[in-house]
Amino acid sequence: MASAGPVPALEERAAACADRLRDADEVLLASHIDADGLTSAAIASRALERAGIPFETVFSKQLDADEIASIAATDYETVLFTDFGSGQLDLIADHERAGEFTPVVADHHQPADADTEFHLNPLLFDIDGSSELSGAGAAYVLARALEPDGTDNRDLAALAVVGAVGDMQTTDGELVGANQSIVSEGVEAGVVETATDLTLYGKQTRPLPKLLEYASDAYIPGITNDESGALRFLDGLDVDLRDGDGEWRCWVDLNEDERSTVSNALLQRAVSRGVSSDRIEGLVGTSYVLTAEPEGTELRDVSEFSTLLNATARYERADVGLAVCLGNRDGALDCAQKLLANHRRNLSEGLRFVEREGVTREENLQWFHAGDEIRETIVGIVAGMAVGSDGIERGTPIVAFAEKTDDSDDGEVTEVKVSSRGTPALTRRGLDLSVVMREASQAVGGDGGGHNVAAGATVPKGTEEEFVERADELVGEQLG
Ligand code: C5P
Ligand code: C5P
Ligand code: C5P
Ligand code: ZN
């Protein structure tokens, strides 16, 4: 990957991993159930298929000891882990030593204290795994190394960009580092287009009033969360933003002039209402458009695409998300869109729950317990979206608990999922939530990990208070 910048060591490792995969009779591909995990699996499966390597795909919510043991119990001699594996490398290495399988790991999470030969992780090569390369990015680097002579896997860059944006890897509105190199390859291959544009979520599919009303990341008084305010704002502009039938158009339906009329008025409104300059700058950023996807669908805009994928995999329908990624759209896209409507409802109900119940402030963090009110697979997304609303400070890490649904017969809840979110400003001051989650959970008999800015854990039910106390201390030490 010539344009990935000066990281030949990463490509060398990818080449070694690719050689190992080519030697396998058959590969088990195991991946994580979120947007980055799905796109990782889609990239890896396309690359394996093009290289003529037979494989089978499985997904998992969390790669823990049991999950790895069940993978080890299969007949596969080679297992390719994508978007997880590094954090569980100690457990995986035990099975490798026992001769149960050879692992190939393409991940971007903080590695556990163990090593293995075929470990492709940006963090091993001085590349930031939470802002410079995602799981899908690592899978893409591997896919480039797997290319048979005379073929080109650069079209897979489109999915890698969806994975990176889905993991919220943008810095000041754009992808940077190795992610940016992948964007460039996607542009060269004709599958990605970039532009400077409003950063609002929903440019492809939300009618203008809804686009503005729901733009909570960029809170503009009198417009955000204000249905009639958003309508009055649009009606007051000197352009007709409805279609021939009198229906509001979407952002993508507007021409250059119309777009600049709306964005200029929006920026002026933000300035006149005293929105901070930081937030105003945040209204504009780089947009990534997938040119091969149909206009006016979630698939064309990478952030809408990634949300669509979360709406499948986080609801036990990874098969649907994977089919959408692989272009097998018969029925899958419809199904994904239905799941998306459900996901949106859950996110907004979750947000309302947090806004209603509020958070508890400790010295160095704030937390809430959702009980069974928010699904454990989306409580982290809700926690991230809640930051900045009334009473939930931006400058303080947030920790969220949700009961894990039990798969066993009696249905008794014995475990609690923890999600935590910080900000880049906090990580610059020393915050590393992956360490906080791992150490605080291990102190109460659980386990966890993730990234400096976003991490998670599982703890035994009943240990939440002790966990908060320990996490609060750890955050204090990191920031102190
Ligand atoms: O497995 P893992 O990499 O999937 O999870 C990434 C999660 O971390 C995403 O859900 C994303 O919302 C969150 N994240 C974040 N802010 C960042 C980076 C990641 O909230 N800067
Ligand atoms: O679901 P996902 O983690 O991909 O969401 C990323 C961001 O997209 C959220 O933090 C939120 O700001 C925005 N979003 C939204 N409306 C939705 C889903 C996501 O505004 N229905
Ligand atoms: O689930 P959530 O979105 O909060 O996860 C945030 C990050 O923490 C993800 O990257 C996820 O893979 C990681 N995580 C982990 N171990 C856990 C739970 C989450 O490494 N037990
Ligand atoms: Zn990831």
Side-chain angles (χ1 to χ4, degrees), residues 80-101:
L80 170 57
F81 295 94
T82 58
D83 195 36
F84 55 26
S86 296
Q88 303 76 18
L89 212 55
D90 44 350
L91 302 170
I92 290 172
D94 287 343
H95 289 281
E96 182 180 19
R97 266 193 303 275
E100 289 162 330
F101 62 79

Side-chain angles (χ1 to χ4, degrees), residues 311 336-346:
Q337 285 165 335
K338 290 200 182 85
L339 288 163
L340 178 61
N342 173 57
H343 180 50
R344 286 219 166 106
R345 205 162 41 240
N346 287 340

Side-chain angles (χ1 to χ4, degrees), residues 216-230:
S216 48
D217 283 352
Y219 194 85
I220 304 169
I223 294 179
T224 310
N225 296 337
D226 185 342
E227 189 179 1
S228 59

Side-chain angles (χ1 to χ4, degrees), residues 66-220:
D66 289 346
E67 202 68 26
I68 299 168
S70 72
I71 286 173
T74 64
D75 289 336
Y76 294 91
E77 280 164 16
T78 307
V79 182
L80 170 57
F81 295 94
T82 58
D83 195 36
F84 55 26
S86 296
Q88 303 76 18
L89 212 55
D90 44 350
L91 302 170
I92 290 172
D94 287 343
H95 289 281
E96 182 180 19
R97 266 193 303 275
E100 289 162 330
F101 62 79
T102 302
V104 178
V105 178
D107 189 9
H108 66 132
H109 292 97
Q110 278 301 336
D113 195 13
D115 211 3
T116 187
E117 189 176 354
F118 307 109
H119 185 202
L120 182 66
N121 184 320
L123 294 160
L124 304 175
F125 305 97
D126 266 341
I127 300 169
D128 186 338
S130 59
S131 65
E132 296 180 326
L133 197 70
S134 67
Y140 177 80
V141 175
L142 177 63
R144 294 298 320 269
L146 273 168
E147 272 167 20
D149 286 342
T151 70
D152 185 355
N153 276 341
R154 284 182 308 172
D155 58 325
L156 301 177
L159 290 168
V161 176
V162 174
V165 169
D167 257 11
M168 312 209 21
Q169 296 214 332
T170 49
T171 303
D172 298 333
E174 63 179 356
L175 292 172
V176 300
N179 279 325
Q180 169 52 36
S181 309
I182 296 177
V183 170
S184 304
E185 296 196 2
V187 170
E188 282 162 27
V191 293
V192 177
E193 250 173 32
T194 66
T196 301
D197 202 348
L198 283 185
T199 49
L200 305 188
Y201 177 90
K203 292 196 288 273
Q204 291 288 332
T205 61
R206 281 184 181 165
L208 287 165
K210 295 291 166 206
L211 180 78
L212 300 184
E213 182 190 339
Y214 294 146
S216 48
D217 283 352
Y219 194 85
I220 304 169

Side-chain angles (χ1 to χ4, degrees), residues 369 414 416 459-466:
H369 201 313
T414 56
V416 173
V459 297
K461 188 174 157 78
T463 64
E464 292 95 321
E465 270 182 44
E466 199 185 336

